[in-house]
Amino acid sequence: MAASFDINDLKRRMAGAVTALKHDLNSLRTGRASANLLDPVEVEAYGATMPLNQVATVSAPESRLLSIQVWDRGMVQAVEKAILKSDLGMTPNTEGQVIRLRVPEMNQQRRQEMVKVAHKYAEQGRVAVRHVRRDGMDLLKKLEKDGHVSEDEAARQSDQVQKATDQTIVEIDQALATKEKEIMQV
């Protein structure tokens, strides 16, 4: 029964929290054009809600310009509407099936707001990692109580869980610091 505790599974779940955080951080606007800026945009298409990248190709031909090539001419208005509804602060400029978005310069106040959002995302990541840690510790306590693992083995496994947690939190903090530096660059 001791095999039911798997430190690698906990590490995988913690890595998933880091991956989700990095995805969220990539969608934050930094003043530079990036196709990731449009990741949160959902388009009403063909009777369903779809990510923008499933109805169009997004590219960044210039540092302050995003180009969206809509595949189906009938979807251009739906894509425009989704961009406006997404609260990105950018107005679409449409020419046929191509939509262009100018990425405006960010002022200092907006940068500080973005940093706060980044900190919020990082805290959500830390909370997710702590939940995984709690699940692992609870399982160890249960296995020890049921007699499937010795007290020494449970303590050793608990140390491994704590080390994995600490390592993952450091990774989250590094990702946050990198994004904060990127946002605050003038």
Side-chain angles (χ1 to χ4, degrees):
M1 189 71 168
S4 66
F5 177 78
D6 185 7
I7 187 72
N8 292 325
D9 181 54
L10 293 177
K11 287 179 179 178
R12 181 191 55 76
R13 289 172 55 198
M14 288 180 185
V18 173
T19 303
L21 168 69
K22 288 180 178 177
H23 180 268
D24 289 344
L25 290 178
N26 281 338
S27 69
L28 280 180
R29 201 174 85 197
T30 60
R32 253 181 265 125
S34 164
N36 293 334
L37 290 176
L38 299 177
D39 282 353
V41 176
E42 298 279 325
V43 180
E44 290 291 328
Y46 312 111
T49 303
M50 308 169 95
L52 177 64
N53 64 8
Q54 291 185 5
V55 295
T57 303
V58 180
S59 62
E62 297 174 21
S63 65
R64 298 230 177 266
L65 181 71
L66 285 173
S67 177
I68 304 156
Q69 175 70 45
V70 182
W71 300 329
D72 180 358
R73 183 178 299 276
M75 294 304 306
V76 174
Q77 282 188 323
V79 171
E80 281 181 338
K81 184 178 175 185
I83 291 168
L84 289 170
K85 195 172 100 178
S86 69
D87 246 359
L88 290 172
M90 294 185 271
T91 306
N93 180 7
T94 307
E95 298 169 13
Q97 285 181 247
V98 177
I99 299 172
R100 289 185 174 73
L101 295 174
R102 276 268 160 229
V103 180
E105 284 279 344
M106 287 179 49
N107 60 24
Q108 194 62 25
Q109 180 183 357
R110 184 72 177 139
R111 289 178 195 279
Q112 289 170 346
E113 288 173 16
M114 287 292 128
V115 167
K116 285 181 185 175
V117 171
H119 278 272
K120 185 181 87 174
Y121 288 161
E123 185 55 33
Q124 289 171 347
R126 288 186 202 102
V127 167
V129 168
R130 288 192 291 261
H131 284 303
V132 172
R133 175 187 173 276
R134 184 197 63 218
D135 292 347
M137 295 298 205
D138 289 350
L139 178 60
L140 281 172
K141 286 176 188 169
K142 183 181 182 328
L143 289 173
E144 181 183 354
K145 180 181 168 200
D146 293 346
H148 297 297
V149 215
S150 69
E151 189 176 329
D152 291 341
E153 180 64 16
R156 191 181 66 72
Q157 295 282 21
S158 293
D159 286 345
Q160 284 185 330
V161 171
Q162 188 58 48
K163 284 178 186 171
T165 302
D166 294 343
Q167 183 180 356
T168 307
I169 296 290
V170 165
E171 202 176 328
I172 286 172
D173 291 342
Q174 288 172 341
L176 174 63
T178 301
K179 189 63 174 187
E180 190 171 347
K181 182 180 176 187
E182 183 183 326
I183 291 171
M184 294 309 287
Q185 281 180 348
V186 176

